[in-house]
Amino acid sequence: MKVYIQVFFIILFFALQPAFAQKISSLKKEVLKEVDGLKPEVDEISEKLWDFSETALLEYKSCELLIGKLESAGFSIEKNVAGMPTAFIASYGSGEPVIGILAEFDALPSVGNSAIPEKKERADGITNGHGCGHNLFGAACVSSAIAIRKVMETKKIKGTLRLYGCPAEETVIGKVYMAKAGLFDDLDGALHWHPGTENSAWNATGSAMNNFEIEFFGKSSHSARDPWNGRSALDALEMLNFGVNQMREHVEPTARIHYVITNGGVAPNVVPNYTKVWYFARDIDRPRVESHYSRILKIAEGAAMATETEFKVKLITGVHEVLPNLPLLKEVQKNMDAIGAISYTDEELKWAKELQKNSGKEEKGIKGEVRPLESEVPAEKGGGSTDVAEVSYITPTSGFRATTAPYGIPWHSWQAASSHGTTIGRKGAFYATKILAMTGIEMFTNPELMEAAKKDFLERTGGKPYKCPIPENQQPPIPEQKNP
Ligand SMILES: [Zn+2]
């Protein structure tokens, strides 16, 4: 009887094998073997970037760590690209196809937290935090590039692999300036991913956006003694905001326009001679954003004219919405399905529920399964903005979200920063490394896939060349603080 049971299990084992083999090619198995060997690396990079938690364009230590890993894995490095000290490109190989992997690694200000399920500042006093999980983003992208490079070498696979070190995603700046500098122009395709609360192929466009400041210049005088000698920059600013708020009724409901007053004058008894307001204008595509932007500038002009003040506009940055690519999206989904769900220990599930409880959320645990691909592409429009969009308008681009935090918690928050410093976050990074490595190796070795991706790209762009939203001669806004 015992022998029968053994035979049954042996038959069952072999019966299950072909299903696995069908889903995963030998080359993908090869790259997954490399990824397995890199598990300690993924963990180490994730932890160190989390410790550093450096904000946009100040990611000096993070950048150095990633460059060090790539250099010792045999990549050649180009530092300080597109005028940003923390932007870099790591390359391997030569000729075509040229495939890019986009890595991000910046943190957010003031969301730092200990890696525990309750709100508690970090012991080292760092107040920034990886509330968007870019520590995991950087770790997975760099590690997948190392795995792909190894298989390219051993299997003599032709082509150029580039890992793009993209700083300042949180301020939507890094890839915009890299795109303006033409750094993505010769790519045949690009890959990215993003931490999140579920595993799904990236079937959403987000919002196109313009991020800009408007300053008004008036004349000071005593607000009571001789107000007639003054011309108020605050009056102008208020007229602008009032005009924009009137305009809201006459834009499509997809528009999202928000502002903060960063300088509203200094004292009530001085007619303000200077004011400044900071605007984001978003919508589901670039032409709509450009239309809102030009209408807002007309209102500013009208406000300045009416108040006899002067005004100045500075477009800080701008992005497109993300352009999907169906063939690459399907390939990403195939690989996610082949790897399947992420599983969690009882301890991790307990941790997740405690965090949810402490955030006033339903204690649902962690979503480790893979969401099926929707039939509609894109399935979602609007919402936040990302500078990955710029790359997606230059070359066929695709990506996915992987679970790195408990379901339903707020994003860009202490809860997310805390999760991204735990094994829950690191499991997501390891999973992402696998998907990036499998998709990347397929892009190098499957010309039909790349042909289909190119065709889809040309259909969606109509063959129109990429136009960077920011002025040609504008330089990246590097913060004062120098390399510590
Ligand atoms: Zn992010």
Side-chain angles (χ1 to χ4, degrees), residues 183-249:
L183 302 181
F184 306 111
D185 287 358
D186 63 342
L187 285 180
D188 293 298
L191 282 177
H192 69 106
W193 76 287
H194 203 284
T197 56
E198 65 173 0
N199 299 312
S200 60
W202 193 295
N203 191 8
T205 64
S207 292
M209 177 182 77
N210 269 8
N211 166 348
F212 57 102
E213 286 172 339
I214 301 180
E215 293 169 294
F216 287 98
F217 304 88
K219 282 183 201 155
S220 292
S221 68
H222 194 298
S223 306
R225 192 177 167 272
D226 63 335
W228 52 87
N229 281 327
R231 293 293 181 268
S232 172
L234 181 59
D235 288 352
L237 184 143
E238 288 190 292
M239 282 176 85
L240 164 70
N241 291 348
F242 177 75
V244 172
N245 290 329
Q246 293 292 94
M247 181 183 122
R248 285 184 199 281
E249 197 181 5

Side-chain angles (χ1 to χ4, degrees), residues 113-150:
N113 202 73
S114 298
I116 56 168
E118 61 185 273
K119 190 163 172 22
K120 189 169 189 277
E121 66 237 35
R122 287 168 51 151
D124 59 12
I126 292 177
T127 54
N128 305 327
H130 274 293
C132 205
H134 294 186
N135 60 319
L136 310 169
F137 196 149
C141 290
V142 165
S143 305
S144 70
I146 294 173
I148 296 170
R149 183 218 165 280
K150 196 69 205 279

